[in-house]
Amino acid sequence: MKLRTGTVVVLGAAVLALLTLATAGWGRYLAQPGPLQAPAMVVIDNGNGPRTIAAKLQRAGVIDHPEAFVLAVRLLGLAGTLQAGEYSFDPGISLRATINKLALGDTQNRAVTIPEGFTVAQVLARLEADQGLSGKIEQRPAEGTLFPDTYAFRFGVKRQDLLGTMSERMAEELAAAWASRTPGLPLNSPEELLILASIVQKEAANDAEMPQIAGVFVNRLNRKMKLQSDPTVIYGANFDGNIRKKDLSEPHPFNTYVYAGLPPTPIANPGRAALRAAAQPATTPALFFVADPSRTHHLFAESYAEHQRNVQRYWRTVQAEQQMIERQQIEKGGKTK
């Protein structure tokens, strides 16, 4: 029977590997330090068999004898257990430790952070930019249905699957908030609580003041007053930047200066603090709030007259800051001449 050249080469390599194992001693060879000189990352794809994996490990410098790897995997009975993923290998890692890592699926975890208050569009953009994720986003989630958090994942996880995890988390958090809500709120469903929480999330300067802000909006809803929330106007107009006076009169469904009640959908993805604040708002007589000049919190007011004084105080500070910036620019320009 004739053997093809390729077959002879493979058999020769296998014999060499077997001789290497026999000469060095089976246990001693598996345990001795490998050739890797510096940390290395290797991606094992789904469907990769022992030979393909061995070739990748050799190219990365993790092992020096691919056939020895294949033979060792088979003799150990682990050929069918090697798992896909992204692996981190330390310098000098032994052949046995390398095989164990692959068999246990000890992959390198990655993570993506979704900040509180991100819109769905911002979440999708972040996932699209992450090179550790795979696949296209086939179904766009509804606004407000993705829970903000840091999500660990293995290399190659599908973007759509990670979105599913985020949606499940939001459903759980929303259900918990709805179950713990204060009786008598002017909210008819968990969806309405989610909408209010998204507004609170975008309005608040910090978590501590969220219940107070939620309390103001609840007071307005109870009195059939317009919410007059700038973030809803900005969301509906689909722009970033400072809101202008003319924007407040644009008749789109998210303009809470024009229409009373909640907007039709959430305007962002709220976090746990905002959900709890919407479910358990502070009891407050306040009907108005405006940013404190420090921008670290808000000033609350029960009457419109008090609110106007707070607004004027804010704008005086803003104008003073702008004038100082202009003076500094003029002085800087004069010095460079």
Side-chain angles (χ1 to χ4, degrees), residues 21 26 30 67-77 95 99:
L21 292 175
W26 169 250
L30 289 178
E67 291 299 332
F69 172 88
V70 173
L71 184 59
V73 164
R74 289 175 177 170
L75 291 175
L76 290 169
L95 181 59
I99 294 172

Side-chain angles (χ1 to χ4, degrees), residues 273-317:
L275 289 168
R276 289 180 177 176
Q280 302 174 30
T283 300
T284 175
L287 290 170
F288 308 90
F289 61 86
V290 68
D292 179 81
S294 67
R295 279 82 152 185
T296 60
H297 61 282
H298 286 83
L299 300 174
F300 296 85
E302 182 176 355
S303 69
Y304 184 69
E306 181 186 1
H307 175 62
Q308 282 298 99
R309 288 193 293 272
N310 290 337
V311 171
Q312 291 169 8
R313 174 185 170 189
Y314 171 80
W315 283 114
R316 282 197 300 269
T317 303

